[in-house]
Amino acid sequence: MKRRWLSVLVLVVFGPTGFLTAPVRAQNLDRLSNQVESTDLKKAVAAARALGKIRSPKALDVLMEMLLLGARPKLGLELVKAIGQHADPKAFHLLSHLARHRNEAMRAAALDAVAKFTAPNLHKKVLGLAMRALRDGASAVRAAGARLIAGLKNAGFARKELTRAEGLLLHLLLVRKDQRSARIALSVIGTVRTARFLAVHLKDLPERIVTELCETFLKRPDFGPEPVRVWVVKTLGKLTGPEAIAALMQYIRDSEGKRRSGLSVTLAKSIAEK
Amino acid sequence: MTPFSPHRLDSTPYEISRLVGRIGGAKRAPSNVTGRPMVFMVATRPRGIVAVDLESGQVRWRQDISDSSSRIAVGRRNIYYRRKADILEARSVRTGKLAWRKKLDLGAGSEIYGIAADGDRLYYVAGVAGEALKQAKWRSRLVAVDGADGDIEWTRWAPGRIGAPAARGGYVFVPYRQQYLSVLDSGKGKEVLRVRARQEYITFARATSEGIFFGGKNGVFRLNRKAASGVPEKADYLKLKLALTRKAAYTGLFGGQTKGPKGRSEAGLRVAYYWDGYEPVMCGYTAYDLNRLLWRGESGKRFAHDRAVLQYFRYFFGFNTDAGELAWVHVHPHVDVRSAFHLKDSVIYLARDGELVLLDGKTGDRLWSHHTKIRIRGATFDAEGFNPQGTRIAARSIVDGLKSIVYDPDRRLTVAKFFAISQLTGLKGRTVSKILLDLISHRKTSLPLRRRAEQVLVQRASRESVPLLLKALDARYDYALGTRPRVVGPVAMALASMKEQKAVTPLTHHLTDPHTPPSTLLKVVTAMARIGGKGILKPFRQFLLDYRADSSFVRHLDVLTRAAQALLDHGGVAERQLLAFVAEDRHSLPQLREFVRRALGKKTAGK
């Protein structure tokens, strides 16, 4: 009992929220606030990183203020990453603004920072940012947009809202040959539409991306129904590369491990035997 | 006194007037013995001369001649032409049968500068050039030949250069020493008139049914008593003057040179009033025939029907010579026009594939056409008074004509496209704005043409084009669709020239669009600064803060400095405080700090 009270006391006094650390933290914050404005870029970057780790509204304010007043490009990137670590909705508007920065690395960093915002009330705005990012000329920005899309799906965003994104990603894959974004997002949000698309445009797409996406679909527990899996298996069966066979073999092994059976598994076995 | 003597005095107005009276007016009718309008073509594949009766459209005769090397001169009974370098031939107008052939004794270094026929007499000018000049006693000679048998009737030698002759009414007219028009009596070869031009080079003489004309590259004198002054202001001097309001648009496009992109010169559409009589190459059908001015004179110093037609390859531009404005445009499709002639009321031309077309000289309407299906190299028309019955097809509108020129895929005709774009400056209407916007947006438009179209778009900006311009700003960069707005820069400047406040919002979008290229960004900022107003303050404030420390703007510093200047000009206390911060903060780009510091200092001093 006594030990327990002692632990609590220690925690209160010395722990992360302990008031005895508050003045120490405040001094730290002041020091870092000054340091982040330093003309020495290394020091300023280190200060920005440190401020990203301090879970304090004041730290966030310092980071935001530095960005609002304009920072050097390299420092700006670190400031954005640091803001992302806070994941505070207060910074959303600023990050949305920075998602249109002329520097593509800054745009990508802002979008990656936005990805850390999981509040459902921001999902639609995040989707808007992601859709715009997919139309960006820079590959890194489109990839960041794709990560946002994948993140939304994982966060439980409504599937029907992501339909437009799926269509745009398929267009980027086929017409603009953007495999990177497709790989990132379609593997997570791809539906029967993507499966059909891959089957129809098999000759126009690089084998590798088709194999990767099909392999991922087969691994996803939510992908289906079974006739669609059959379709995906058939698509893999039409490919000639060893990766396709390896994907089918893996699917067979996974299915046996999970004791899953069905026409898709049977078909995969027969293709693999051939 | 011997003809072409350097001691001969200039003729008086009375002498000129008396001679002109003797020559009189000519009937507007073909000069050949058949009395029918005809065209004599130098055909290719196989090479030969073909005579076509224009009224019936029938080929009258054809002769295979592989080496004709001059224009065809049409006399009364015969046509005349040169073969190779020194053979003159005559053929019957009626049958094409050879009348005579003469080898000329031209001498070393001598060549023919031109031939002309008047009735049954032929004239040619031969001149010495190059090394042979050192040993030659005489510089050039004018020779009269009996058209019936080819015998030389007389030869007149000259110590100076004589240009290609013209002949009518028993007289022969030649430019002499680039300063004179000399007139000789055809029977005796006696020089009866010498007219001096001051301030002008005389390079051609021309005989038409309205009179005798002579001139150079700047304009044309009519031969009458006033010509004795030799000065354009006092003579009946015909010159294609262009509307002053668009003079800048024409500069460099008419016979001059102007600096194009990156300092390269652009050769322009040439206003060549006639062939240069001192160039022996123009004795034949050349590329010169593809670009020249087609005109006829009327009374005094007027062009016939106040029209002159500029031909450029397949394009014909009819100018109102009174106002100096474009009156009509005609485009012949696909095939180059090889020969054209002004018949006073109309213009007739012959395309390379043998199609003959007659245009109304005043309106550009198509009056008549006939296809001979003969490929040609050049042709001479003897078609005065030709007025066939045909279905009149109205000329297309000037805008449509210019548009078709601008979008013509033929890459040879860039000069004409420049000209066509420049012409759009003075034309009103949204259609023209749309044409310019489409041209600027089109991926295949070459950079010089795009630049010119942008200039014209800005020059002709007007209130009625504002909705169209604002709509053009809706275009967005989209990697997925592969679209890129190409008109933002010029549209921004056009709207700025009208200080259109509604443009601020769409321009702000382009200001903050990361895909706006720096050159366009500068125009957007400049335009917004010109438009002014409170609406620009917030976007400029944020823009300046976002990039004041961004080293990628070192090469595009003027984008930031203009934004800063605009904040100073249009903003208030808050903007000045912001600028003071930018000037003082060590993270701002040094050049920007310096600029803002000075600007703030000036502003303060100005108070």
Side-chain angles (χ1 to χ4, degrees):
Chain A
M1 186 71 167
K2 207 175 179 181
R3 191 177 281 181
R4 193 182 292 168
W5 276 110
L6 202 59
S7 306
V8 169
L9 186 64
V10 165
L11 267 172
V12 165
V13 171
F14 296 109
T17 57
F19 58 83
L20 266 185
T21 64
V24 174
R25 230 181 32 254
Q27 280 174 17
N28 226 10
L29 210 54
D30 287 339
R31 183 178 59 80
L32 290 171
S33 299
N34 289 330
Q35 199 175 312
V36 85
E37 292 182 27
S38 169
T39 50
D40 184 335
L41 188 62
K42 278 187 183 166
K43 282 187 182 169
V45 164
R49 286 178 182 161
L51 284 166
K53 290 175 185 162
I54 298 176
R55 291 287 174 273
S56 147
K58 281 187 185 168
L60 179 63
D61 286 345
V62 170
L63 292 166
M64 286 177 63
E65 192 181 309
M66 281 299 296
L67 275 171
L68 279 167
L69 291 176
R72 290 160 285 173
K74 284 185 182 163
L75 177 60
L77 274 174
E78 294 302 328
L79 291 168
V80 167
K81 286 176 189 169
I83 287 177
Q85 287 179 299
H86 283 257
D88 189 329
K90 191 167 76 171
F92 185 83
H93 183 73
L94 173 60
L95 290 173
S96 300
H97 170 72
L98 292 170
R100 280 170 68 82
H101 199 276
R102 292 184 70 82
N103 184 314
E104 64 181 64
M106 187 74 112
R107 294 202 296 280
L111 290 167
D112 283 337
V114 165
K116 301 198 166 86
F117 290 76
T118 52
N121 63 324
L122 291 175
H123 280 179
K124 278 209 167 157
K125 288 183 182 174
V126 171
L127 179 62
L129 286 177
M131 293 296 286
R132 195 170 64 198
L134 288 178
R135 295 177 190 277
D136 198 288
S139 162
V141 178
R142 291 196 302 277
R147 286 193 289 274
L148 271 183
I149 302 275
L152 281 171
K153 167 79 187 315
N154 292 334
F157 195 52
R159 180 175 278 193
K160 66 172 184 173
E161 302 280 353
L162 295 172
T163 307
R164 265 197 323 132
E166 187 180 13
L168 182 53
L169 285 158
L170 290 173
H171 174 85
L172 284 170
L173 177 60
L174 180 66
V175 177
R176 302 300 273 167
K177 313 297 179 201
D178 186 357
Q179 295 181 47
R180 186 179 173 189
S181 305
R183 187 179 290 118
I184 294 168
L186 285 175
S187 55
V188 176
I189 71 164
T191 62
V192 60
R193 181 182 180 185
T194 302
R196 184 166 56 229
F197 181 92
L198 295 175
V200 166
H201 295 285
L202 196 58
K203 287 180 188 165
D204 303 318
L205 297 170
E207 229 182 72
R208 195 166 176 179
I209 186 69
V210 176
T211 308
E212 282 179 23
L213 287 173
C214 289
E215 186 179 3
T216 315
F217 291 159
L218 292 176
K219 283 181 181 171
R220 273 171 46 191
D222 67 323
F223 190 83
E226 182 62 16
V228 180
R229 286 180 170 264
V230 171
W231 213 348
V232 173
V233 168
K234 279 185 182 172
T235 302
L236 277 172
K238 288 179 188 169
L239 300 174
T240 55
E243 293 86 5
I245 298 296
L248 283 171
M249 298 296 292
Q250 186 62 43
Y251 179 55
I252 295 165
R253 282 196 291 273
D254 289 344
S255 301
E256 283 169 357
K258 291 171 187 168
R259 294 184 188 174
R260 185 196 291 139
S261 64
L263 189 56
S264 63
V265 181
T266 313
L267 184 61
K269 282 178 183 169
S270 71
I271 293 171
E273 276 164 19
K274 283 181 196 167
Chain B
M1 192 175 288
T2 54
F4 304 116
S5 164
H7 305 295
R8 189 192 168 86
L9 295 174
D10 300 342
S11 298
T12 63
Y14 171 71
E15 286 170 334
I16 298 173
S17 183
R18 194 175 61 178
L19 181 82
V20 169
R22 276 198 207 124
I23 296 171
K27 245 183 18 177
R28 286 191 60 209
S31 56
N32 70 80
V33 68
T34 67
R36 294 177 70 79
M38 294 188 69
V39 59
F40 300 91
M41 314 192 285
V42 174
T44 58
R45 299 183 196 170
R47 194 84 178 255
I49 294 179
V50 182
V52 173
D53 183 318
L54 286 172
E55 275 180 3
S56 64
Q58 299 298 313
V59 172
R60 202 172 174 109
W61 52 260
R62 181 180 182 127
Q63 296 289 339
D64 289 339
I65 299 157
S66 61
D67 53 1
S68 65
S69 59
S70 76
R71 291 178 191 284
I72 294 169
V74 182
R76 200 170 71 87
R77 277 183 280 196
N78 295 328
I79 60 164
Y80 310 94
Y81 54 91
R82 181 184 64 187
R83 286 184 76 163
K84 293 185 182 171
D86 57 357
I87 297 172
L88 271 182
E89 271 191 7
R91 286 189 180 268
S92 163
V93 164
R94 286 187 201 275
T95 62
K97 211 170 146 188
L98 182 69
W100 50 261
R101 179 185 294 139
K102 295 285 183 186
K103 187 165 167 58
L104 304 174
D105 180 21
L106 290 177
S110 202
E111 51 191 331
I112 291 181
Y113 279 53
I115 60 176
D118 177 27
D120 287 317
R121 194 173 271 127
L122 173 70
Y123 306 91
Y124 70 84
V125 165
V128 181
E131 284 296 311
L133 259 178
K134 292 176 187 169
Q135 271 112 46
K137 194 178 169 189
W138 300 97
R139 185 72 192 270
S140 40
R141 61 188 189 266
L142 172 64
V143 181
V145 174
D146 184 343
D149 53 23
D151 290 340
I152 292 177
E153 292 188 346
W154 50 257
T155 303
R156 296 293 173 259
W157 299 86
R161 293 176 75 192
I162 306 174
R168 188 160 81 74
Y171 293 91
V172 59
F173 310 87
V174 289
Y176 179 49
R177 281 197 144 142
Q178 293 189 314
Q179 204 180 1
Y180 302 100
L181 174 75
S182 285
V183 183
L184 285 78
D185 169 82
S186 60
K188 297 169 188 170
K190 184 182 166 192
E191 188 175 4
V192 295
L193 215 63
R194 189 173 305 177
V195 181
R196 182 203 297 251
R198 302 166 209 278
Q199 304 165 11
E200 288 272 334
Y201 284 127
I202 302 302
T203 59
F204 71 86
R206 187 182 180 196
T208 70
S209 55
E210 304 85 49
I212 309 300
F213 298 88
F214 62 101
K217 63 178 185 180
N218 295 326
V220 184
F221 289 94
R222 177 190 289 275
L223 183 64
N224 58 19
R225 59 183 300 118
K226 290 185 193 174
S229 67
V231 173
E233 292 77 28
K234 294 179 182 172
D236 281 343
Y237 186 73
L238 286 75
K239 182 180 173 72
L240 178 61
K241 285 176 197 159
L242 306 167
L244 284 174
T245 51
R246 293 200 304 285
K247 190 172 182 186
Y250 288 116
T251 301
L253 292 176
F254 273 85
Q257 300 259 320
T258 193
K259 290 293 179 191
K262 296 185 183 173
R264 285 198 303 262
S265 293
E266 304 166 13
L269 289 182
R270 194 179 48 236
V271 178
Y273 289 92
Y274 211 61
W275 295 283
D276 185 342
Y278 293 106
E279 288 291 338
V281 71
M282 296 212 188
C283 185
Y285 299 113
T286 64
Y288 203 92
D289 297 63
L290 304 179
N291 174 204
R292 61 191 191 93
L293 194 70
L294 305 169
W295 57 273
R296 294 289 284 261
E298 214 164 67
S299 58
K301 54 176 84 173
R302 297 181 76 87
F303 287 95
H305 303 299
D306 289 325
R307 291 286 187 271
V309 180
L310 182 64
Q311 178 209 347
Y312 187 80
F313 286 79
R314 293 188 282 108
Y315 310 138
F316 291 85
F317 302 96
F319 283 93
N320 178 331
T321 54
D322 205 28
E325 292 172 347
L326 193 58
W328 55 263
V329 176
H330 174 80
V331 178
H332 184 75
H334 311 306
V335 182
D336 284 344
V337 169
R338 297 301 306 204
S339 277
F341 193 74
H342 204 304
L343 298 174
K344 192 169 181 187
D345 300 323
S346 54
V347 169
I348 189 167
Y349 70 80
L350 180 58
R352 196 183 57 190
D353 62 355
E355 185 177 5
L356 284 154
V357 178
L358 189 74
L359 302 176
D360 184 322
K362 200 167 168 66
T363 62
D365 295 347
R366 187 166 157 134
L367 300 175
W368 168 91
S369 69
H370 172 72
H371 214 309
T372 64
K373 295 191 172 50
I374 300 171
R375 279 182 73 96
I376 67 133
R377 190 157 172 258
T380 298
F381 291 91
D382 182 24
E384 283 291 306
F386 179 50
N387 188 17
Q389 295 298 311
T391 310
R392 178 181 280 260
I393 300 172
R396 50 162 89 173
S397 70
I398 292 178
V399 171
D400 278 347
L402 293 175
K403 184 182 174 183
S404 71
I405 291 171
V406 159
Y407 282 106
D408 193 326
D410 194 333
R411 286 176 180 270
R412 296 173 304 157
L413 309 176
T414 307
V415 164
K417 292 179 192 184
F418 261 96
F419 175 69
I421 292 172
S422 300
Q423 286 294 310
L424 292 171
T425 312
L427 298 176
K428 294 186 179 163
R430 282 196 202 182
T431 314
V432 177
S433 299
K434 180 107 183 26
I435 291 170
L436 291 167
L437 286 171
D438 288 346
L439 187 65
I440 296 166
S441 316
H442 201 280
R443 278 187 328 160
K444 292 193 177 173
T445 303
S446 69
L447 184 62
L449 282 178
R450 183 177 298 134
R451 289 276 175 264
R452 189 73 195 109
E454 288 173 2
Q455 285 168 2
V456 172
L457 184 75
V458 175
Q459 278 169 7
R460 65 178 299 285
S462 65
R463 285 276 148 214
E464 66 174 355
S465 58
V466 164
L468 195 63
L469 296 174
L470 288 174
K471 194 165 182 329
L473 288 180
D474 289 342
R476 297 281 180 263
Y477 178 90
D478 189 325
Y479 175 81
L481 297 176
T483 58
R484 175 192 295 276
R486 291 170 190 269
V487 298
V488 173
V491 167
M493 298 310 290
L495 289 166
S497 69
M498 295 179 284
K499 292 193 184 285
E500 177 56 55
Q501 285 293 328
K502 288 181 193 169
V504 171
T505 305
L507 284 175
T508 300
H509 183 96
H510 290 286
L511 177 72
T512 56
D513 188 336
H515 300 98
T516 303
S519 56
T520 305
L521 197 61
L522 180 60
K523 287 181 184 160
V524 169
V525 168
T526 305
M528 289 176 73
R530 271 196 206 155
I531 293 170
K534 300 293 177 203
I536 68 168
L537 297 180
K538 188 179 170 191
F540 272 6
R541 280 201 305 266
Q542 193 57 61
F543 184 80
L544 192 62
L545 284 174
D546 283 343
Y547 300 109
R548 66 176 179 97
D550 193 329
S551 54
S552 68
F553 271 82
V554 168
R555 282 190 303 149
H556 310 290
L557 200 71
D558 39 5
V559 175
L560 296 175
T561 55
R562 283 193 200 179
Q565 187 65 54
L567 285 172
L568 194 58
D569 293 339
H570 299 283
V573 172
E575 282 70 38
R576 275 204 208 99
Q577 283 174 344
L578 177 102
L579 289 168
F581 164 72
V582 168
E584 284 162 21
D585 188 73
R586 58 212 161 140
H587 298 303
S588 302
L589 294 170
Q591 303 92 325
L592 177 64
R593 289 178 69 187
E594 183 57 34
F595 175 87
V596 174
R597 212 177 278 139
R598 283 192 194 172
L600 284 169
K602 272 186 203 168
K603 191 80 174 176
T604 312
K607 280 185 183 173

